[in-house]
């Protein structure tokens, strides 16, 4: 979720952060936070609600301290101090040992080659603003459905976390609205065997009922029909992140769910024999902290999970796979990823190539990695203002599809939630922005693949385990 932060000027703000040089402290083991950071050219922000100061070093590394807490975050790691951070006479003081750790991180990544490559693309399309009667924070997660007969007639299915699921055409016009609950994350898969037919399914986490809701989708008008036999109710306190997984190794379909305390649950989805979908819990484990963004690679049998303040992890997607991660893709140290790490999505190449893309909410950018091997980092990009459409900031959910979707998106489209939807200087309710894949592919110094996207109905099993 996004955090409201206020940049501090050189004078006292909210009585919290001021230079410590002019005031003595009774404990010589403490130093003033603000002055120490100013001396090394770092920027500081204050979160009034959490009584926390976040900072960004000139090399991009970030940190966070909280008044009266001994735990702090620095370079994507949580560490416990022997003494807590203090507020003394309106000054934020940190143990001298923490300053030494900050200075050590500040000395890293000083070579020109260490700079994070970043390019900017322009927003080309947008959906209508999401209607929210309970507040503006409503748009959350998109999923692109490919129309096999008319690609330009494909649909965008998205969540309104204030109360439902929305369906748009590729011009952003809302076609359907289903007030089925506070829906958080959403995903879809093709050719699910149901009632003797192959159907396309859309599924999402419903925070109102704490369930996984599953629907079929009609391509003509984007109509959704609930096909759950009995409510698929989660064991966790509150359902949150979500992805579907179609195992090309076994042919089985799974719903993957994350909770706000790091819980993970995997449910096998199947036809109950009466044309409805049943869900059976087949696996569960827990990450160390809140996690939401998640995407499954059907071809390679991997799950990628974004632990918001920590890292992107890669897990085995099969239900009998290890509950320990296969690898750490990247960390939220502030350089390529700045917390929160939010949405994750995959660009599938026809030959098994492709890209993993992550929303770095804290830096208003998106990080690109190779889909294969060790998921090598490639570049970051931002979405700036288009000719008549504003760019994005503090993005939650994202999706990408690399196939022909008509004249506007001949080689695919990238869709992202926009936290601050602006029009003529006025802030509207949130919405979703669209960018052609060609813009993104042409951005890095070494161009990405384009025109090579895999048809999501014709994926190939590449899981050699």
């Amino acid at each position: 979720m996004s955090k409201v932060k206020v940049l501090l000027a050189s004078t006292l703000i909210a009585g919290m952060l001021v230079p410590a040089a002019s005031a003595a402290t009774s404990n010589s083991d403490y130093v003033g936070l603000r002055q120490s950071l100013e001396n090394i050219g770092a920027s500081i922000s204050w979160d009034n609600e959490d009584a926390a100061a976040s900072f960004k070093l000139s090399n991009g590394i970030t940190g966070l301290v909280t008044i009266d807490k001994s735990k702090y975050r620095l370079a994507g790691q949580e560490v416990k101090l022997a003494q807590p951070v203090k507020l003394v006479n309106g000054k934020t003081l940190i143990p001298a040992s923490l300053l030494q750790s900050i200075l050590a991180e500040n000395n890293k990544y000083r070579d020109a080659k260490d700079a994070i490559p970043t390019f900017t693309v322009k927003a080309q399309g947008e959906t209508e603003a999401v209607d929210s009667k309970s507040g503006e924070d409503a748009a959350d997660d998109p999923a692109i459905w490919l129309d096999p007969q008319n690609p330009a007639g494909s649909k965008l299915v998205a969540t309104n976390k204030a109360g439902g699921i929305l369906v748009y055409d590729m011009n952003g016009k809302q076609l359907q609205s289903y007030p089925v609950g506070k829906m958080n994350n959403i995903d879809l898969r093709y050719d699910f065997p149901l009632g003797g037919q192959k159907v396309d399914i859309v599924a999402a986490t419903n925070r109102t009922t704490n369930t996984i809701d599953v629907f079929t989708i009609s391509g003509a008008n984007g109509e959704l029909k609930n096909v759950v036999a009995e409510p698929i109710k989660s064991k966790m306190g509150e359902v949150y992140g979500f992805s579907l997984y179609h195992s090309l190794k076994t042919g089985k379909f799974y719903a993957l769910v994350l909770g706000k305390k790091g819980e993970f649950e995997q449910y096998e989805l199947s036809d109950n024999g009466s044309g409805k979908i049943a869900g059976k819990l087949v696996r569960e484990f827990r990450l160390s902290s809140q996690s939401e963004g998640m995407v499954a690679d059907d071809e390679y049998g991997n799950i990628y999970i974004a632990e918001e303040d920590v890292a992107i992890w890669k897990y085995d997607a099969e239900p009998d796979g290890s509950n320990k991660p296969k690898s750490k893709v990247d960390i939220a140290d502030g350089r390529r990823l700045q917390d929160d790490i939010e949405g994750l999505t995959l660009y599938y190449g026809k030959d098994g190539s492709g890209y993993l893309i992550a929303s770095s909410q804290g830096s208003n950018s998106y990080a690109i990695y190779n889909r294969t091997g060790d998921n090598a980092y490639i570049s970051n990009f931002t979405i700036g203002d288009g000719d008549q459409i504003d760019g994005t900031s503090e993005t939650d959910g994202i999706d990408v599809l690399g196939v022909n979707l008509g004249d506007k998106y001949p080689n695919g489209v990238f869709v992202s939630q926009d936290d601050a939807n602006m029009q003529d200087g006025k802030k509207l309710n949130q919405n979703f922005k669209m960018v052609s894949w060609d813009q993104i592919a042409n951005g890095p110094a070494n161009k990405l693949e384009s025109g090579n996207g895999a048809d999501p109905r014709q994926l190939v099993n590449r899981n050699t385990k």
Side-chain angles (χ1 to χ4, degrees):
M1 305 297 293
S2 60
K3 299 175 182 176
V4 178
K5 296 178 180 177
V6 181
L7 185 66
L8 297 178
S10 57
T11 55
L12 174 68
I13 293 183
M16 301 307 297
L17 298 175
V18 296
S22 60
T25 176
S26 59
N27 193 331
S28 60
D29 291 334
Y30 280 79
V31 295
L33 174 65
R34 189 177 194 286
Q35 185 67 62
S36 299
L37 292 177
E38 278 192 341
N39 288 343
I40 57 174
S43 61
I44 313 169
S45 299
W46 174 251
D47 187 320
N48 230 16
E49 182 178 351
D50 294 336
S54 60
F55 53 91
K56 192 175 186 72
L57 306 181
S58 58
N59 59 6
I61 288 176
T62 56
L64 175 75
V65 299
T66 305
I67 299 300
D68 294 330
K69 301 293 184 182
S70 57
K71 288 183 179 179
Y72 70 93
R73 294 198 64 80
L74 180 63
Q77 304 293 321
E78 185 174 82
V79 183
K80 187 172 183 179
L81 295 160
Q83 303 161 302
V85 175
K86 292 182 177 181
L87 180 66
V88 178
N89 297 327
K91 307 176 183 70
T92 298
L93 305 179
I94 61 172
S97 60
L98 172 53
L99 177 59
Q100 294 307 309
S101 297
I102 292 172
L103 294 176
E105 293 295 336
N106 190 60
N107 288 331
K108 297 178 179 178
Y109 308 114
R110 289 301 171 185
D111 194 291
K113 66 178 176 59
D114 296 325
I116 303 302
T118 304
F119 61 92
T120 299
V121 298
K122 291 184 177 182
Q124 290 174 255
E126 65 178 340
T127 66
E128 296 175 4
V130 171
D131 183 27
S132 172
K133 295 180 175 60
S134 61
E136 64 177 17
D137 187 13
D140 196 274
D141 195 35
I144 308 160
W145 177 81
L146 174 64
D147 188 323
Q149 306 301 325
N150 176 26
S154 297
K155 306 296 187 292
L156 179 64
V157 189
T159 54
N160 173 356
K161 61 187 173 187
I165 296 178
L166 306 170
V167 182
Y168 303 91
D169 65 21
M170 293 309 294
N171 292 315
K173 177 178 175 57
Q174 183 177 304
L175 304 175
Q176 306 287 347
S177 176
Y178 296 93
V180 291
K182 295 181 178 180
M183 314 304 286
N184 204 69
N185 283 182
I186 196 164
D187 202 4
L188 56 84
R189 285 298 186 273
Y190 303 90
D191 297 333
F192 184 94
L194 188 66
Q197 299 180 326
K198 296 288 184 71
V199 298
D200 298 341
I201 59 170
V202 172
T205 42
N206 187 333
R207 294 164 73 178
T208 300
T209 56
N210 209 45
T211 57
I212 304 157
D213 294 358
V214 188
F215 309 83
T216 55
I217 180 170
S218 169
N221 55 13
E223 181 180 354
L224 302 181
K225 179 182 178 182
N226 191 307
V227 288
V228 171
E230 297 291 337
I232 306 173
K233 195 166 184 65
S234 171
K235 292 171 57 180
M236 63 185 66
E238 182 179 6
V239 292
Y240 199 43
F242 185 75
S243 178
L244 286 169
Y245 170 56
H246 179 200
S247 171
L248 300 180
K249 181 179 179 181
T250 65
K252 294 180 179 180
F253 288 77
Y254 299 93
L256 315 173
V257 189
L258 289 169
K260 286 195 170 183
K261 295 182 179 179
E263 310 99 313
F264 171 88
E265 295 175 353
Q266 182 166 358
Y267 293 82
E268 181 180 336
L269 303 179
S270 61
D271 187 336
N272 75 339
S274 301
K276 296 288 187 178
I277 293 178
K280 176 184 177 183
L281 181 64
V282 293
R283 182 189 187 192
E284 56 185 316
F285 59 83
R286 185 185 290 263
L287 292 90
S288 62
S289 63
Q290 181 167 305
S291 306
E292 181 180 12
M294 178 166 52
V295 66
D297 190 324
D298 293 359
E299 292 192 324
Y300 288 105
N302 294 319
I303 305 170
Y304 296 92
I305 296 177
E307 191 175 358
E308 292 185 350
D309 294 340
V310 181
I312 300 173
W313 304 98
K314 179 160 66 174
Y315 287 84
D316 190 323
E318 293 298 319
D320 60 353
S322 173
N323 291 343
K324 301 295 183 182
K326 297 167 73 172
S327 64
K328 183 191 294 183
V329 176
D330 206 350
I331 61 173
D333 66 354
R335 287 172 49 77
R336 301 184 292 222
L337 297 171
Q338 183 172 336
D339 61 328
D340 295 355
I341 311 171
E342 287 285 340
L344 300 178
T345 189
L346 286 166
Y347 175 98
Y348 284 79
K350 287 180 182 177
D351 55 359
S353 61
Y355 309 99
L356 169 68
I357 306 174
S359 169
S360 173
Q361 191 177 74
S363 60
N364 301 317
S365 68
Y366 311 88
I368 309 172
Y369 305 84
N370 274 319
R371 175 185 168 213
T372 58
D374 293 331
N375 304 109
Y377 170 75
I378 298 172
S379 181
N380 275 54
F381 70 94
T382 61
I383 300 178
D385 294 347
D387 295 336
Q388 297 179 326
I389 301 170
D390 67 305
T392 62
S393 61
E394 297 190 25
T395 292
D396 282 319
I398 57 177
D399 198 16
V400 67
L401 186 60
V403 300
N404 178 15
L405 295 171
D407 293 341
K408 193 171 185 180
Y409 308 112
N411 289 309
V413 68
F414 177 80
V415 182
S416 60
Q417 183 261 5
D418 181 21
D419 180 72
N421 178 29
M422 306 297 294
Q423 182 176 314
D424 299 325
K426 181 182 178 181
K427 187 175 181 179
L428 307 179
N429 282 353
Q430 297 172 335
N431 72 346
F432 300 90
K433 299 297 196 294
M434 292 176 271
V435 176
S436 70
W437 177 252
D438 285 336
Q439 273 202 76
I440 297 170
N442 290 328
N446 296 318
K447 297 186 187 309
L448 307 180
E449 295 179 7
S450 188
N452 188 42
D455 184 328
R457 291 182 174 85
Q458 299 177 7
L459 301 182
V460 176
N461 179 29
R462 304 180 192 279
N463 185 358
T464 58
K465 179 181 175 182

